[in-house]
Amino acid sequence: MNLKADFAIIGGGIGGVTCAETLSHLNPDTNIVLITASSLIKTVTNLVQVSERIESFDVEEKPKSYLESTLPNVQVVHAAVAILDSENHILKTSDGTSVGYKKVCICTGGRPKVIVEDNPFVLGIRDTESVQEFQKRLKNARRIIVIGNGGIATELVYEVEGCEVIWAIKDKSISSAFVDAGAAQFFLPCVNKEKTESRKPLKRHKYTEEDDVTRPKNVTGGALGPDWSVNRDMVGNQQGSHKVHIEYSVEMANIFKLDEIKTNGKKIENPSTFDQITDDWPVCVELTNGKIYGADFIVSATGVVPNSHQFSANNFEIAEDGGIKVNDKMETNVKDVFAAGDICTASWIPAPHWIQMRLWSQARQMGCYAAKSMVASLSNEDVTLDFCFELFTHMTKFFNYKVILLGKFNGQGLGEGQEILLRFTEGVEYVKAIIQDGHLQGAVLIGETDLEETFENLILNKIDLTLFKEHLLDPNIDIEDFFD
Ligand SMILES: Cc1cc2nc3c(=O)[nH]c(=O)nc-3n(C[C@H](O)[C@H](O)[C@H](O)COP(=O)(O)OP(=O)(O)OC[C@H]3O[C@@H](n4cnc5c(N)ncnc54)[C@H](O)[C@@H]3O)c2cc1C
Ligand SMILES: NC(=O)C1=CN([C@@H]2O[C@H](COP(=O)(O)OP(=O)(O)OC[C@H]3O[C@@H](n4cnc5c(N)ncnc54)[C@H](OP(=O)(O)O)[C@@H]3O)[C@@H](O)[C@H]2O)C=CC1
């Protein structure tokens, strides 16, 4: 099959689909081809504007026909792109389809950065297939080891029940990819708390991925949606709820088989939180503090590697984190090739309160802005960087608490002279504001603080707080009223 498109997009995750939707709305007369290796595409639903810059939304998987029926000028091809021939402006898929394009956007996402590749006992989690594999193994598991201290690990240790979890983190506090040690302290009592009520699964029609014969083994499906852990059965084979043991300031030193441990006469730790655990583990892990734990398997929740290896013949400029570098128009260094979402690394000079993190919200914002830029480029017009890149915002849930992160929420790159203001009520809320040079630079808001809109404005409008900062977190002062 030979197709011709004004705009082509590679990847059916949030980045690619948002790019296709925006292109279609901006330019209904053009023809757009989206090629995706996964049989289902991701769409954003239930979008709620929490404040001017904070959005919350659900991510749903839909069949490709959904996009084609809602956007008449979009054609979706279910195949993996094997070759990007940027000189001749042609894409070739592994099943022989070729797509000529004028502008193309690469939205091929990332894959889990796994601590040990090709070890049958080490799993990474990214797409539906990988989480199903995790659930299958968990059913028969007595103990798992979770390595990593970011989003996936934080959500997993909270969700897994009926199975002991050894959570091995390289930092002194939990969830450090998102929050500071103070917030970690706030969350700590939740780690082993019995879940009183199970959260209701969202009532949505779930589509399932077809057996993906077209998807090569080294290409993952789209990253999972927000309720990936909530709606899934994550129960091991032990009686009881939560049993999480945290090992701080460690990394994995070695992986052994049980007989190797026995031969060497090494001691296996047994936190013995469940009664009937015996030492007949399929795999053992030695941590850098010398402790050895046996487990049924290991989850490596250690970050994302952008899929930038796929089209390397094009000599893309690659950033240190492995992403394809893009400028402030989402253009790569290769003519007429754009990139958006987890695949790319923002390589413009960022606004003072913005940082890149590989998140849905940013994949959506980048997909949308890349589309605007592609349209402008086709008609030789200019675009200015979208205002969503002025302020970092992220809204999520950890341990069933609402979490909002704003600006330089962990003081990233601020250097000396930061003042931290804190408000902490155990089990209710944690508020951290970072002030530098009299101005609010970032904030962590956990719980129903209702401060997000005001804090967002304080950061963006660069309000001088020198005289007011003593009262900023005073619960008896309505700061929204004060700054109105
Ligand atoms: C378990 C998990 C939980 C997460 N939770 C959150 C959260 O709570 N909040 C949040 O903000 N973010 C979360 N994220 C991160 C978020 O999911 C990602 O940042 C976002 O989905 C990235 O979107 P993307 O479109 O760039 O990439 P992806 O969703 O990875 O999509 C890439 C697409 O490209 C396709 N593809 C790859 N190679 C090819 C090829 N050669 N040819 C054709 N198609 C190809 C893939 O099949 C896929 O369809 C989570 C991620 C994971 C893994
Ligand atoms: N609610 C949310 O917003 C969620 C977001 N996500 C997103 O999904 C993606 C994947 O999540 P996840 O895998 O948790 O990635 P994250 O980037 O969130 O966290 C990875 C963690 O693993 C640590 N790490 C990296 N290498 C090693 C190693 N060799 N040994 C021990 N620890 C290591 C990192 O430490 P260091 O940073 O010091 O390298 C970091 O703490 C991320 O983009 C994340 O933002 C995922 C789930 C939920």
Side-chain angles (χ1 to χ4, degrees), residues 83-203:
I83 297 170
L84 162 55
D85 176 355
S86 56
E87 238 168 67
N88 296 305
H89 286 57
I90 292 176
L91 305 171
K92 291 183 182 151
T93 68
S94 43
D95 65 356
T97 301
S98 81
V99 181
Y101 67 83
K102 291 179 185 161
K103 309 278 170 193
V104 64
C105 190
I106 307 177
C107 303
T108 46
R111 59 189 188 284
K113 182 187 124 197
V114 179
I115 36 164
V116 190
E117 298 272 0
D118 300 325
N119 183 311
F121 294 108
V122 182
L123 300 187
I125 292 178
R126 178 78 187 172
D127 52 7
T128 309
E129 215 169 278
S130 57
V131 81
Q132 280 169 350
E133 177 63 23
F134 167 77
Q135 287 175 287
K136 197 172 94 193
R137 293 208 197 182
L138 184 65
K139 254 189 206 155
N140 300 315
R142 300 155 292 164
R143 183 193 291 162
I144 60 170
I145 299 178
V146 176
I147 299 190
N149 201 11
I152 293 181
T154 302
E155 295 189 347
L156 262 192
V157 299
Y158 182 62
E159 292 298 338
V160 167
E161 294 183 273
C163 176
E164 194 171 275
V165 177
I166 307 293
W167 189 9
I169 60 178
K170 61 182 187 160
D171 318 279
K172 291 190 184 123
S173 59
I174 61 166
S175 313
S176 71
F178 286 84
V179 294
D180 58 291
Q185 206 57 37
F186 175 84
F187 285 138
L188 209 52
C190 309
V191 172
N192 269 307
K193 203 166 161 186
E194 295 271 320
K195 278 199 225 157
T196 44
E197 59 177 82
S198 60
R199 282 168 292 154
K200 280 196 195 110
L202 300 174
K203 287 205 175 61

Side-chain angles (χ1 to χ4, degrees), residues 10-16 35-38 40 42 79-81 107-110 125-126 152 155 215 219-226 228 307 310-311 340-343 358-361 363 394 396:
I10 315 173
I14 286 296
I35 308 157
T36 180
S38 41
L40 298 173
K42 305 270 173 189
V81 174
C107 303
T108 46
I125 292 178
R126 178 78 187 172
I152 293 181
E155 295 189 347
R215 180 146 61 83
V219 176
T220 53
L224 287 156
W228 73 279
N307 285 324
Q310 289 187 26
F311 310 121
D342 279 9
I343 182 69
R358 291 189 160 86
L359 298 166
W360 289 306
S361 44
H394 183 47
T396 186

